[in-house]
């Protein structure tokens, strides 16, 4: 079983709609969590960190559920430019540094 | 300021050739990471440097893979006797501090390696 699992999608979302998806992780020692966005043939870019209390950045809301070991991302009022692959990243501290574990990504396609 | 840069952006190698991939991290960043991303997958960790010290190389798939960062800035990932399964995008990332759990990693554009 992979340490970080995501629904690959694609999630086809009409422009203006809301979409949400989860990511599960297996290592309870995981310390921190991120969502990265990756456009086709581009590098991953940080979308947002995920905090224990949940956090919001504009149209994006991230939640962490430590008991069930998953994080979620919700996108409101979807824009065409939100079409991308969203990578879940889990980081656990090993010795003096943390190691990023990536999920395989969830593809979101926003349609006009 | 400038982000992470990588060269070459594309590399085609014949099976058995050696290749060298270069990464220029963000200036002043202490930590440098290499990842391998296969098609349709998320990046997989290869190795980690803190300044010039290679503190973790547990993700290197075989002894054909070698990485160095001799002066604590530019890093090179070398793959000897390339095989077709080495075909992937090789991503470099850097972070400001010692790579702690909360630190953001900034990625370069990657090198697309195709082994024929």
């Amino acid at each position: 079983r992979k340490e970080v699992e995501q629904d690959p999608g694609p999630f086809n979302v009409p422009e203006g709609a809301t979409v949400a998806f989860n990511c599960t992780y297996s290592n309870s020692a995981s310390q921190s969590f991120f969502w990265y966005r990756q456009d086709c043939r581009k590098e991953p870019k940080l979308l947002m960190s995920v905090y224990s209390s949940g956090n919001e950045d504009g149209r994006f809301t991230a939640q962490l559920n430590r008991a069930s070991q998953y994080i979620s991302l919700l996108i409101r009022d979807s824009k065409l430019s939100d079409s991308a692959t969203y990578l879940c990243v889990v980081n656990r501290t090993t010795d003096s540094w943390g190691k990023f574990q990536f999920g395989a990504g969830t593809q979101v396609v926003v349609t006009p | 300021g400038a982000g992470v840069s990588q060269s070459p952006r594309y590399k085609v190698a014949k099976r058995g050739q050696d290749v060298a991939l270069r990464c220029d991290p963000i200036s002043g960043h202490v930590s440098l990471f290499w990842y391998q991303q296969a098609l349709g997958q998320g990046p997989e960790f290869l190795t980690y440097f803190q300044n010039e010290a290679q503190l973790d190389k547990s993700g290197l798939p075989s002894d054909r893979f070698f990485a160095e960062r001799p002066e604590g800035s530019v890093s090179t990932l070398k793959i000897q006797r390339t095989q077709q399964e080495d075909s992937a995008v090789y991503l470099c990332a850097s972070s400001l501090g010692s790579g702690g759990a909360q630190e953001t990693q900034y990625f370069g554009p990657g090198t697309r390696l195709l082994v024929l």
Side-chain angles (χ1 to χ4, degrees), chain B residues 97-111:
Chain B
S98 58
Q102 297 292 340
E103 279 203 352
T104 300
Q105 294 182 21
Y106 298 90
F107 284 80
T111 294

Side-chain angles (χ1 to χ4, degrees), chain A residues 2 31-34 36 38 40-46 49-51 87 91-94 96-105, chain B residues 9-10 33 35 37 40-45 48 50 55-56 58-59 91 98-110 112:
Chain A
K2 290 186 178 179
Q31 297 278 328
S32 54
F33 310 86
F34 306 86
Y36 273 69
Q38 187 170 30
C40 188
R41 302 178 73 83
K42 299 285 189 181
E43 72 272 23
K45 291 185 178 178
L46 178 67
S49 301
V50 186
Y51 302 119
L87 298 168
N91 197 350
R92 52 187 169 91
T93 299
T94 303
S96 61
W97 72 284
K99 180 183 288 187
F100 270 23
Q101 304 279 348
F102 282 85
Chain B
R9 294 292 310 278
Y10 302 90
F33 308 82
Y35 293 86
Q37 187 172 22
Q41 300 298 314
E44 295 279 347
F45 168 80
Y48 161 65
Q50 188 177 112
L55 298 187
D56 190 328
S58 61
L91 293 162
S98 58
Q102 297 292 340
E103 279 203 352
T104 300
Q105 294 182 21
Y106 298 90
F107 284 80
R112 292 185 176 275

